[in-house]
Amino acid sequence: MCDIAICPGSFDPVTNGHLDIIKRASEKFDKIIVLVSYNAKKNGGTFTVSERVDFLKRCLTDIPNVTVDSYDGLLVDYARKVGASAIVKGLRAVSDFEEEFQMALINRQLAPEVDTVFMVSSLDYMYLSSSTVREICYFGGNIENFVPAEIVPDIVKKISKKKQI
Ligand code: ADP
């Protein structure tokens, strides 16, 4: 049997912290689906869903068992649709834990066959979030240590043009 896991998130935009978790998860599961989850009715976010998917695809070309998709709906419904057995989440700090724990329990209630697996962030990325990257970029700081080089120009272009975080 093929063990499929989903790495869900907003990825607005993807950071080196996300990529670290995705790469490590890809060594533990047969197949990883990185899922940009969104709610079409809530018009949130800096980057469009297709931009976020495009960034992820460009950063993940070297990992053959990883694909990227997007979904506007309940994560457990998507998990059932693709036959995933696990949801992989990264934990940076205790502050991440409470919300993630609650979400894991709810998802378990909705779909007991899908387990949530937590992976602890690498020390190098404990402080890193998409919002930090957007904020640094907005104020003209260098984001090269935080996101892969191939997407830096697109992030800078959009955020400096938009002038909002
Ligand atoms: P954020 O906007 O806070 O960066 P996302 O919703 O895009 O968060 O995150 C998707 C998943 O990646 C979540 O499980 C989140 O905890 C995890 N994650 C985000 N940043 C990191 C990081 N620096 N290290 C480990 N996991 C992370």
Side-chain angles (χ1 to χ4, degrees):
M1 204 182 89
C2 173
D3 260 341
I4 302 172
I6 300 170
C7 289
S10 36
F11 304 105
D12 188 30
V14 60
T15 69
N16 290 339
H18 294 128
L19 292 172
D20 173 56
I21 296 289
I22 295 164
K23 280 180 190 150
R24 284 160 54 201
S26 74
E27 290 159 14
K28 305 269 177 257
F29 291 89
D30 298 321
K31 190 180 164 195
I32 296 289
I33 302 172
V34 180
L35 191 69
V36 177
S37 322
Y38 67 101
N39 181 342
K41 291 210 176 111
K42 287 189 195 163
N43 213 2
T46 297
F47 294 93
T48 65
V49 172
S50 59
E51 282 169 332
R52 296 180 212 181
V53 168
D54 173 62
F55 290 167
L56 279 159
K57 283 186 175 166
R58 281 156 57 192
C59 298
L60 290 165
T61 47
D62 57 335
I63 317 180
N65 61 335
V66 175
T67 56
V68 183
D69 198 1
S70 60
Y71 190 64
D72 171 20
L74 276 183
L75 183 55
V76 288
D77 289 341
Y78 183 90
R80 280 197 170 128
K81 191 178 81 161
V82 297
S85 59
I87 294 165
V88 174
K89 304 294 308 261
L91 285 182
R92 280 163 290 198
V94 179
S95 51
D96 274 345
F97 182 77
E98 198 163 328
E99 197 187 326
E100 294 294 353
F101 188 62
Q102 189 188 5
M103 229 178 320
L105 288 175
I106 289 170
N107 284 335
R108 185 129 184 248
Q109 186 100 357
L110 294 171
E113 75 280 18
V114 185
D115 250 313
T116 299
V117 176
F118 292 115
M119 294 185 79
V120 175
S121 174
S122 300
L123 273 179
D124 285 349
Y125 305 122
M126 289 221 51
Y127 58 89
L128 191 52
S129 68
S130 298
S131 59
T132 307
V133 168
R134 294 197 301 270
E135 191 162 342
I136 294 168
C137 191
Y138 177 74
F139 288 113
N142 185 353
I143 56 167
E144 280 169 13
N145 287 334
F146 310 126
V147 300
E150 55 263 50
I151 62 169
V152 169
D154 292 295
I155 294 173
V156 171
K157 194 171 152 201
K158 175 116 187 202
I159 291 185
S160 56
K161 201 168 87 187
K162 225 181 147 194
K163 288 286 177 219
Q164 81 179 44
I165 296 169

Short mmCIF file of all heavy atoms in Angstrom, two decimals, residues 8-11 17-18 21 89-92 96 100 121 125 128-130, ligand 1:
data_model
loop_
_atom_site.label_atom_id
_atom_site.label_comp_id
_atom_site.label_asym_id
_atom_site.label_seq_id
_atom_site.Cartn_x
_atom_site.Cartn_y
_atom_site.Cartn_z
N PRO A 8 -0.59 20.50 4.61
CA PRO A 8 -1.46 21.64 4.28
C PRO A 8 -0.94 22.95 4.87
O PRO A 8 -0.18 22.95 5.83
CB PRO A 8 -2.78 21.25 4.96
CG PRO A 8 -2.34 20.48 6.18
CD PRO A 8 -1.01 19.84 5.86
N GLY A 9 -1.39 24.05 4.28
CA GLY A 9 -1.02 25.35 4.84
C GLY A 9 -1.46 26.45 3.92
O GLY A 9 -2.03 26.20 2.84
N SER A 10 -1.20 27.69 4.35
CA SER A 10 -1.54 28.80 3.45
C SER A 10 -0.36 29.13 2.53
O SER A 10 -0.58 29.64 1.43
CB SER A 10 -2.02 30.02 4.23
OG SER A 10 -1.34 30.14 5.44
N PHE A 11 0.84 28.91 2.98
CA PHE A 11 2.04 29.09 2.12
C PHE A 11 2.01 30.44 1.40
O PHE A 11 2.14 30.51 0.18
CB PHE A 11 2.17 27.94 1.10
CG PHE A 11 2.22 26.58 1.74
CD1 PHE A 11 1.12 25.73 1.70
CD2 PHE A 11 3.36 26.15 2.40
CE1 PHE A 11 1.14 24.48 2.30
CE2 PHE A 11 3.40 24.89 3.01
CZ PHE A 11 2.29 24.07 2.95
N GLY A 17 11.34 27.25 6.06
CA GLY A 17 10.80 26.45 7.18
C GLY A 17 9.80 25.42 6.68
O GLY A 17 9.84 24.25 7.06
N HIS A 18 8.87 25.86 5.79
CA HIS A 18 7.93 24.92 5.19
C HIS A 18 8.69 23.83 4.42
O HIS A 18 8.38 22.64 4.54
CB HIS A 18 7.02 25.62 4.17
CG HIS A 18 6.08 26.63 4.74
ND1 HIS A 18 6.00 27.92 4.24
CD2 HIS A 18 5.16 26.56 5.73
CE1 HIS A 18 5.06 28.58 4.89
NE2 HIS A 18 4.54 27.79 5.81
N ILE A 21 10.20 21.02 6.43
CA ILE A 21 9.21 20.02 6.89
C ILE A 21 8.79 19.12 5.72
O ILE A 21 8.71 17.90 5.84
CB ILE A 21 7.96 20.73 7.50
CG1 ILE A 21 8.33 21.52 8.76
CG2 ILE A 21 6.85 19.71 7.79
CD1 ILE A 21 8.69 20.72 9.99
N LYS A 89 2.01 18.26 9.99
CA LYS A 89 2.09 19.66 10.36
C LYS A 89 3.43 19.94 11.03
O LYS A 89 3.95 19.09 11.75
CB LYS A 89 0.97 20.04 11.35
CG LYS A 89 -0.45 19.76 10.91
CD LYS A 89 -0.95 20.57 9.73
CE LYS A 89 -0.85 22.04 9.72
NZ LYS A 89 -2.07 22.76 10.10
N GLY A 90 3.95 21.13 10.78
CA GLY A 90 5.20 21.53 11.43
C GLY A 90 4.90 22.31 12.70
O GLY A 90 3.98 23.12 12.72
N LEU A 91 5.67 22.08 13.73
CA LEU A 91 5.50 22.83 14.98
C LEU A 91 6.75 23.65 15.25
O LEU A 91 7.85 23.12 15.33
CB LEU A 91 5.30 21.88 16.16
CG LEU A 91 3.96 21.17 16.31
CD1 LEU A 91 3.98 20.33 17.58
CD2 LEU A 91 2.81 22.16 16.36
N ARG A 92 6.57 24.94 15.37
CA ARG A 92 7.71 25.82 15.66
C ARG A 92 7.92 26.02 17.14
O ARG A 92 9.04 26.06 17.62
CB ARG A 92 7.49 27.20 15.01
CG ARG A 92 7.79 27.22 13.55
CD ARG A 92 7.19 28.42 12.91
NE ARG A 92 5.75 28.30 12.88
CZ ARG A 92 4.96 29.00 12.10
NH1 ARG A 92 5.48 29.91 11.31
NH2 ARG A 92 3.67 28.81 12.11
N ASP A 96 2.41 27.35 18.60
CA ASP A 96 1.75 26.66 17.48
C ASP A 96 0.88 25.52 17.99
O ASP A 96 -0.10 25.14 17.36
CB ASP A 96 2.80 26.00 16.55
CG ASP A 96 3.33 26.96 15.49
OD1 ASP A 96 2.71 28.01 15.29
OD2 ASP A 96 4.36 26.63 14.87
N GLU A 100 -2.90 23.82 16.70
CA GLU A 100 -2.69 22.60 15.91
C GLU A 100 -3.32 21.39 16.61
O GLU A 100 -3.86 20.51 15.97
CB GLU A 100 -1.19 22.35 15.69
CG GLU A 100 -0.49 23.39 14.83
CD GLU A 100 -0.96 23.41 13.38
OE1 GLU A 100 -1.74 22.52 12.99
OE2 GLU A 100 -0.55 24.32 12.65
N SER A 121 10.03 21.71 14.08
CA SER A 121 10.86 22.56 13.21
C SER A 121 12.35 22.38 13.50
O SER A 121 12.74 22.15 14.64
CB SER A 121 10.47 24.01 13.47
OG SER A 121 11.32 24.87 12.78
N TYR A 125 14.93 27.25 11.66
CA TYR A 125 13.71 27.85 11.10
C TYR A 125 12.63 28.10 12.15
O TYR A 125 11.50 28.45 11.81
CB TYR A 125 13.13 26.93 10.00
CG TYR A 125 14.13 26.64 8.93
CD1 TYR A 125 14.49 25.32 8.62
CD2 TYR A 125 14.74 27.67 8.22
CE1 TYR A 125 15.42 25.05 7.63
CE2 TYR A 125 15.66 27.40 7.23
CZ TYR A 125 16.01 26.09 6.95
OH TYR A 125 16.93 25.84 5.98
N LEU A 128 10.82 31.36 11.82
CA LEU A 128 10.42 31.79 10.48
C LEU A 128 8.95 31.56 10.18
O LEU A 128 8.41 30.47 10.39
CB LEU A 128 11.30 31.02 9.47
CG LEU A 128 11.28 31.45 8.02
CD1 LEU A 128 11.54 32.93 7.86
CD2 LEU A 128 12.31 30.63 7.25
N SER A 129 8.28 32.59 9.65
CA SER A 129 6.89 32.44 9.21
C SER A 129 6.70 33.25 7.93
O SER A 129 7.50 34.15 7.63
CB SER A 129 5.92 32.95 10.28
OG SER A 129 6.07 34.35 10.41
N SER A 130 5.64 32.95 7.20
CA SER A 130 5.36 33.70 5.97
C SER A 130 5.15 35.18 6.28
O SER A 130 5.59 36.04 5.52
CB SER A 130 4.10 33.15 5.29
OG SER A 130 4.28 31.81 4.94
P1 ADP B 1 2.53 30.37 8.41
O1 ADP B 1 1.68 31.32 7.63
O2 ADP B 1 2.44 30.57 9.90
O3 ADP B 1 3.95 30.29 7.94
P2 ADP B 1 1.20 28.08 7.14
O4 ADP B 1 -0.26 27.93 7.31
O5 ADP B 1 1.63 28.45 5.77
O6 ADP B 1 1.84 28.97 8.27
O7 ADP B 1 1.95 26.72 7.58
C1 ADP B 1 1.72 25.47 7.08
C2 ADP B 1 2.37 24.46 7.99
O8 ADP B 1 3.77 24.69 8.06
C3 ADP B 1 1.88 24.51 9.44
O9 ADP B 1 1.87 23.19 9.94
C4 ADP B 1 2.94 25.34 10.14
O10 ADP B 1 3.00 25.04 11.52
C5 ADP B 1 4.18 24.85 9.40
N1 ADP B 1 5.26 25.80 9.44
C6 ADP B 1 5.25 27.08 9.04
N2 ADP B 1 6.45 27.66 9.21
C7 ADP B 1 7.25 26.70 9.75
C8 ADP B 1 8.62 26.65 10.19
N3 ADP B 1 9.39 27.74 10.11
N4 ADP B 1 9.09 25.49 10.67
C9 ADP B 1 8.29 24.41 10.76
N5 ADP B 1 7.01 24.39 10.38
C10 ADP B 1 6.49 25.50 9.89
#
